[in-house]
Amino acid sequence: MEKERIIFADYLRVVACFLVMLVHASENFYAADSSGLAGNVSMLANEANRFWVAFYDGFCARSCVPLFIILSSFLLVPMKSGTTMTGFYRRRFMRILPPVLIFMLLYTFLPLAWGAMTPEQSLHDLKMIPWNFPSMAGHLWFIYPLISLYLIIPVVSPWLERASAKEERVFLGIFLVSTFIPFIHRFITPELWGECFWNGFSALWYCSGYLGYLVLAHYLRVHLEWSDRKRMSVGIVSFLLGAAFTGWSFWLKGVPGQMIETPMLEWAWEFCTPNVVLATFGAFLMFSCIKRKKAPAIVTTLSKLSFGMYLMHLFFLAPIARLVIGGSVAQPLIPVWAAIPLIAVSTFVCCAVTSKLVSLIPGSKWIIGA
């Protein structure tokens, strides 16, 4: 018997999955090389690209990763009564690690088959699999913070079970202070609150990062007793403020025709910055107002397939982007305002169909987690 589903979580998972693809579709229009993904250096071809990347990637989609983090935490924290640490680890890691390993191998060898990678690079990527993601699977960086959260959940769950709302707000206040650290690093000092070449752990290290989203998810689930009307109102305002700053920050630094270091162009796009946290908080509040008794079958299906869709999407996105762009990001075959969502939607549909077909294979959970 299938466990009861949290309906708004299915909607949120599907939307967040699409937003990931929207982010990577946008990267084609400021990447400085032919890979289609932003590397260490970026360049915007013109003002249209500057505006629409800022809008789609910064304003609309930059909350995609934190939404996955906060949703996973919302569903998993605190652990169910009687669940042991080893039992939790076994269940979570057996769900994600086999598919991730399979796709790491696919991203290591398939590009070699169609000439997008040299044998030397493929061999190097294979050797690096125990240590990091393959060179053509940059999106798999997300798996590592997710693993970190899974590792810490059994540790923090006992505290969250007995913590009061006030105690959690104290922690969240410290976390919010830590979200300014990326700005301080970039504009004031690269070494902050004890950081130096022999110590990379600052005073707020253990109260920063994605752990803050985990505690925020628990607070929203257990302690926030707002009406749907208030959730929606606060959610809309929070999202608009956070997302507007995020989009504006990219537009501010992006000067068409000039090479710029990507971290400087994306100076306010890190996922643990105050603006992204605010936008994520707002988006989650809005989705939590969905109170339908049952989601449409397509939403539930896509929600179940979303992990596999995330894993495979770069295989589809790159060739689709080349077709839509037609060789010039300055003058794509269709205007950039339409090109970016077209690439994302086409990729989403291809991934959904492929994941559904794979799900019909016996043992598909080891391939796509569904």
Side-chain angles (χ1 to χ4, degrees), residues 13-84:
R13 190 178 288 111
V14 173
V15 171
C17 183
F18 171 74
L19 293 180
V20 169
M21 299 177 195
L22 189 64
V23 164
H24 291 148
S26 301
E27 287 188 20
N28 286 274
F29 294 90
Y30 69 98
D33 56 47
S34 59
S35 69
L37 296 177
N40 294 330
V41 180
S42 299
M43 187 174 73
L44 290 158
N46 50 44
E47 285 291 346
N49 290 12
R50 178 190 189 188
F51 176 82
W52 289 111
V53 170
F55 175 73
Y56 286 122
D57 195 336
F59 180 87
C60 297
R62 190 45 47 171
S63 298
C64 58
V65 167
L67 284 173
F68 273 123
I69 293 290
I70 200 171
L71 179 58
S72 294
S73 301
F74 185 88
L75 298 175
L76 296 175
V77 179
M79 295 191 307
K80 293 180 180 179
S81 177
T83 303
T84 64

Side-chain angles (χ1 to χ4, degrees), residues 180-182 184-185 188-196 199 201-203:
F180 288 90
I181 290 177
I184 298 173
H185 277 162
I188 300 177
T189 173
E191 296 179 341
L192 177 69
W193 299 329
E195 293 173 326
C196 48
N199 174 50
F201 304 96
S202 70

